[in-house]
């Protein structure tokens, strides 16, 4: 029994050794999981380079070749590489996963796989060749940031600042367009979604508060919508006027009633004696 337990413990230890050393917790700072090794401040025996040193967008974008090469070390244990905008540090573009030793990490981004990592910590030979496809729209300069764990000794080289940077066309302005002000009678108001994009290209994620389909109180409520896209934001506002349909004609037998002061028939109270108000077309009652 003790022999079996010992073998089982050895198997668990070996499996743990082969586990990948980077996961989604590494998305922001590219640090490996706890217990992966010791961070070294020395120059790493590795180098990340790219060709060409620029990218293009449009009908015929130029893909960028990315190479991890040795500077004194012929192998490595585990690596994480991320393509990100220089000005916002948000992942962008997508790597083609043709190397079986790599896997995608869900670290966000504008499209596809902008962050990749090793599938395990087994020794892997250099060089490592990658192909990165640029964003479909211009997002400015991009850099490739990376961290790597050595095969021997378990030294960790964090290269968040030692990035390889490539030039890109200036990012076009992110813009959002809200619908016109809305008048509604029903409590639950559904309004058109704002449009968001860069130039003629629709991009970004839009959130509005209150959201479409919410219950609105009688009166005017401002709706604020925000579009976000790879670190940039744009916002717009519009009003929802929630009114009451009292079902009757506009009658004004009483001097000084609310309608004669220019209030809308839709919003005038039903309780004042001698007249009623209704929705009509939102035309104020006449004195």
């Amino acid at each position: 029994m003790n022999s079996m337990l010992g073998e089982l413990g050895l198997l668990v230890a070996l499996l743990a050794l082969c586990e990948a050393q980077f996961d989604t917790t590494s998305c922001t700072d590219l640090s490996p999981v706890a217990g992966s090794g010791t961070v070294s401040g020395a120059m790493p025996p590795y180098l990340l380079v790219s060709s060409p040193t620029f990218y293009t967008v449009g009908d015929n974008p130029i893909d960028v070749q990315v190479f991890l090469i040795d500077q004194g070390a012929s192998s490595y244990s585990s690596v994480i590489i991320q393509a990100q905008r220089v000005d916002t540090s948000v992942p962008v573009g997508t790597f083609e996963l043709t190397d079986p030793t790599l896997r995608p990490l869900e670290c966000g981004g504008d499209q596809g796989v902008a962050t990749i990592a090793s599938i395990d910590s087994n020794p892997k030979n250099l060089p490592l060749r990658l192909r990165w496809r640029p964003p479909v729209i211009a997002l400015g300069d991009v850099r490739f940031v990376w961290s790597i764990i050595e095969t021997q000794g378990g030294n960790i080289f964090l290269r968040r600042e030692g990035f390889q940077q490539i030039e890109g066309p200036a990012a076009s302005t992110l813009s959002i367009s809200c619908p016109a002000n809305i008048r509604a009678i029903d409590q639950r108001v559904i309004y058109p979604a704002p449009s968001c994009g860069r130039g003629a290209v629709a991009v970004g994620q839009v959130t509005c508060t209150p959201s479409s389909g919410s219950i609105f109180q009688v009166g005017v409520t401002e709706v604020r919508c925000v579009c976000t896209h790879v670190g940039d934001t744009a916002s717009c506002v519009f009003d929802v006027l929630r009114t009451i349909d009292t079902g009757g004609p506009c009658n004004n037998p009483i001097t000084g009633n609310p309608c004669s002061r220019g209030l809308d028939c839709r919003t005038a109270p039903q309780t004042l004696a001698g007249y009623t108000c209704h929705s009509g077309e939102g035309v104020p009652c006449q004195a």
Side-chain angles (χ1 to χ4, degrees):
M1 177 64 72
N2 289 337
S3 176
M4 291 179 62
L5 291 176
E7 291 177 358
L8 180 61
L10 178 61
L11 177 61
V12 170
L14 289 173
L15 289 174
L17 181 63
C18 295
E19 288 180 353
Q21 302 299 316
F22 297 95
D23 57 22
T24 53
T25 62
S26 308
C27 287
T28 302
D29 61 5
L30 305 190
S31 294
V33 296
S36 299
T38 303
V39 176
S40 173
M43 289 296 295
Y46 310 95
L47 182 65
L48 193 76
V49 296
S50 64
S51 177
T53 56
F54 63 92
Y55 74 90
T56 62
V57 296
D59 295 334
N60 298 298
I62 297 177
D63 291 351
V64 177
Q65 305 291 328
V66 181
F67 304 92
L68 181 66
I69 60 178
D70 70 274
Q71 292 281 85
S74 61
S75 64
Y76 65 99
S77 170
S78 188
V79 69
I80 183 172
I81 303 173
Q82 184 178 92
Q84 58 181 224
R85 281 183 67 178
V86 170
D87 55 353
T88 64
S89 299
V90 174
V92 293
T94 184
F95 286 103
E96 291 186 1
L97 284 175
T98 56
D99 190 306
T101 68
L102 297 172
R103 61 194 171 94
L105 285 186
E106 297 296 331
C107 296
D110 65 318
Q111 60 170 339
V113 180
T115 309
I116 54 176
S118 300
I119 61 173
D120 55 40
S121 59
N122 292 325
K124 302 166 187 67
N125 293 325
L126 292 172
L128 174 63
R129 298 178 176 87
L130 304 169
R131 181 187 297 270
W132 177 78
R133 181 153 295 173
V136 296
I137 56 176
L139 292 175
D141 293 349
V142 169
R143 62 190 174 196
F144 300 105
V145 291
W146 55 287
S147 292
I148 194 168
I149 302 175
E150 239 181 352
T151 305
Q152 301 295 328
N155 285 326
I156 302 170
F157 298 97
L158 299 178
R159 301 302 297 164
R160 297 187 299 273
E161 302 304 326
F163 53 80
Q164 172 69 21
Q165 184 166 321
I166 60 175
E167 295 181 355
S172 54
T173 302
L174 183 68
S175 62
I176 183 173
S177 178
C178 275
N181 293 340
I182 295 173
R183 304 174 72 97
I185 296 174
D186 294 337
Q187 281 187 318
R188 195 173 300 278
V189 178
I190 298 176
Y191 52 78
S195 59
C196 182
R198 295 181 185 271
V201 181
V203 296
Q205 181 177 1
V206 178
T207 56
C208 295
T209 306
S211 60
S212 180
S214 298
I215 293 178
F216 284 72
Q217 301 300 316
V218 174
V220 177
T221 300
E222 182 182 88
V223 178
R224 179 176 180 83
C225 299
V226 178
C227 175
T228 58
H229 183 243
V230 291
D232 293 334
T233 61
S235 63
C236 61
V237 296
F238 65 97
D239 291 335
V240 172
L241 172 60
R242 165 86 198 293
T243 61
I244 297 175
D245 186 353
T246 61
C250 273
N251 299 320
N252 294 282
I254 302 178
T255 302
N257 68 64
C259 290
S260 67
R261 295 200 297 271
L263 298 184
D264 197 307
C265 294
R266 295 188 182 194
T267 58
Q270 308 176 53
T271 54
L272 295 183
Y275 74 96
T276 57
C277 291
H278 73 117
S279 60
E281 296 299 327
V283 178
C285 298
Q286 301 300 311

